[in-house]
Amino acid sequence: MNNIADQLNAAYQNLTENCLELGRDLTSICLIAVSKTKPAAAIAEAYQAGQRQFGENYPQELQSKADELATLQDLQWHFIGPLQSNKTRLVAGHASWVHSIDRLKIAERLAAQRPPELGKLKILLQVNISNEASKAGISAAELDELALAVSTLPQLELKGLMAIPAPGDSERAFAAMQQLSANLQQKYPGAIELSMGMSDDWPLALKYGATMIRLGTAIFGARTYARNE
Ligand SMILES: *Cc1c(COP(=O)(O)O)cnc(C)c1O
């Protein structure tokens, strides 16, 4: 029944209402349409409906979609998945944002590989805010050190933090991220972004200061296949 344009409209409507309710400025919130596993045609459809920010999780998938959709002006890619060092070049060459930095080595490679003509790559540090074993992200205790190191790298711009809370831990985790973000901004006034909230928990994330919400299912429908993440 619902096509992508309708789902997008509904999401923006919902976002507008939540912003009103919370006294948040709608223009300070970025809605990222997470298109992983979805075909380029679905992205083009969202683009025609006015969407410009898209999220991808897998470097090769990002590259093939970016190549296929290269003629779409102003489209911006957010890389939000785990990133291995042998894949950094694909991301450095296509993404405007990387949300998932949790190792200095990856940031260093991105800095070295970023084509200068693309301008600085915007970086968010991923925090493992629920302290889950074997999950991506640094601990809160490691944040200062990584932020300092990343902030000195050329071709990168430290813009803020990202997190994916464990199920059942959303509210505590979002509140903790809001605090970490406030602390970070004292040292790095430009690091204003807080990427948190997905299709099923974004209104709560918004309440705790999210500035970037990442919606997949709510825009494109259920994913028909899952990959190992
Ligand atoms: C897949 C994914 C999303 C979108 O998830 P939905 O529940 O479909 O909205 C958001 N963020 C990250 C990091 C993801 O991997």
Side-chain angles (χ1 to χ4, degrees):
M1 278 295 134
N2 282 330
N3 66 27
I4 290 169
D6 288 342
Q7 308 262 54
L8 260 177
N9 280 334
Y12 277 99
Q13 183 68 37
N14 204 343
L15 176 59
T16 305
E17 284 162 15
N18 274 272
C19 282
L20 266 174
E21 217 165 279
L22 296 166
R24 298 282 313 273
D25 175 6
L26 178 66
T27 63
S28 71
I29 316 284
C30 176
L31 187 164
I32 299 165
V34 176
S35 43
K36 64 177 174 211
T37 79
K38 299 293 178 182
I43 297 169
E45 202 177 324
Y47 181 91
Q48 296 311 330
Q51 180 65 23
R52 292 293 179 271
Q53 312 294 323
F54 292 90
E56 288 286 341
N57 287 58
Y58 312 101
Q60 269 125 346
E61 190 175 333
L62 168 64
Q63 177 177 46
S64 61
K65 288 175 179 173
D67 286 348
E68 203 170 333
L69 300 169
T71 58
L72 300 186
Q73 297 284 313
D74 307 328
L75 188 157
Q76 294 208 330
W77 297 106
H78 296 246
F79 188 80
I80 62 175
L83 185 50
Q84 252 100 59
S85 39
N86 61 345
K87 301 284 168 52
T88 50
R89 192 177 294 280
L90 298 177
V91 173
H94 293 294
S96 297
W97 294 78
V98 178
H99 293 225
S100 45
I101 292 300
D102 61 0
R103 278 189 293 156
L104 181 57
K105 183 183 170 199
I106 299 296
E108 286 171 342
R109 290 179 64 88
L110 290 171
Q113 294 167 344
R114 178 67 167 176
E117 67 274 16
L118 295 184
K120 286 188 176 178
L121 180 59
K122 299 183 177 75
I123 298 292
L124 305 181
L125 306 180
Q126 183 172 356
V127 181
N128 182 0
I129 194 64
S130 299
N131 292 312
E132 294 174 278
S134 77
K135 280 288 168 68
I138 50 165
S139 69
E142 296 167 309
L143 185 53
D144 279 354
E145 194 183 338
L146 184 60
L148 179 60
V150 167
S151 72
T152 65
L153 292 173
Q155 301 290 9
L156 304 186
E157 189 176 358
L158 178 62
K159 290 297 289 180
L161 303 177
M162 180 271 226
I164 310 171
D169 186 38
S170 300
E171 185 147 26
R172 184 210 64 83
F174 289 151
M177 288 301 298
Q178 185 170 39
Q179 189 59 55
L180 289 177
S181 173
N183 294 348
L184 185 74
Q185 287 180 59
Q186 302 213 322
K187 285 188 200 141
Y188 309 96
I192 57 174
E193 306 295 346
L194 186 48
S195 169
M196 59 187 195
M198 306 178 16
S199 292
D200 56 2
D201 62 3
W202 66 266
L204 188 61
L206 213 58
K207 184 177 160 194
Y208 288 100
T211 64
M212 301 182 126
I213 57 175
R214 310 177 308 264
L215 308 188
T217 312
I219 307 293
F220 295 107
R223 287 177 289 277
T224 48
Y225 66 100
R227 301 206 206 165
N228 293 330
E229 286 179 48

